[in-house]
Amino acid sequence: MSAANQLAALIANMFATGLLDDQFQQLQMLQDPSAPNFVSEVVTLFCHDGERIIGELAKLLDKPTVDFDRVDAFVHQLKGSSASVGALKVKNTCIQFREFCQQKSKDGCLKTLETVRINFYELRGKFQTMLQLERQVNGFPPNN
């Protein structure tokens, strides 16, 4: 199967499994010859920021006294960046996460952090594969 077909199948699978929503298609439509790397730059930034935020959340929730306002602020940030790239599962998990913050439930936050982590890293792995396939389709060697 060609890289282009693999890429199309991967993206279709990401929609079918609920990892992505229509916002990702909107993002793709913003890419044009004047900004040929737009999607890859936005996706890379999302992955970098998401990883940093998840690390911050883990640190905050590991403390004996949790600052739920700070936790909520980070979750809100992750929810916003997830919504902007169309990361549906991550965004929806952040909505649940914020409810636990408002209830000041450390157990709920810890469980939801684990779900966010699973959903985020699943999506990040597929985004990395997508970016490698795009490089092949565009005639660049794979990034190792």
Side-chain angles (χ1 to χ4, degrees), residues 50-71:
E51 200 162 351
R52 179 186 54 78
I53 292 169
I54 288 170
E56 290 294 331
L57 288 168
K59 278 190 246 174
L60 288 169
L61 290 170
D62 195 37
K63 293 184 177 180
T65 306
V66 175
D67 181 345
F68 287 102
D69 291 337
R70 284 198 64 210
V71 171

Side-chain angles (χ1 to χ4, degrees), residues 7 29 32 36 55 62-63 70 90 105-106 117 134 140 143:
L7 180 60
M29 285 189 234
D32 62 25
D62 195 37
K63 293 184 177 180
R70 284 198 64 210
V90 176
S105 168
K106 185 173 182 176
R117 189 180 274 136
E134 281 182 352
F140 296 103
N143 238 357

Side-chain angles (χ1 to χ4, degrees), residues 74-113:
F74 277 113
V75 175
H76 183 68
Q77 193 179 354
L78 183 59
K79 179 181 159 241
S81 63
S82 299
S84 70
V85 298
L88 182 62
K89 269 190 188 176
V90 176
K91 180 188 81 176
N92 287 342
T93 307
C94 286
I95 291 168
Q96 284 180 305
F97 203 146
R98 293 195 73 197
E99 288 171 15
F100 284 119
C101 287
Q102 287 161 4
Q103 296 166 14
K104 301 198 181 319
S105 168
K106 185 173 182 176
D107 284 346
C109 285
L110 285 167
K111 287 177 184 153
T112 313
L113 174 61

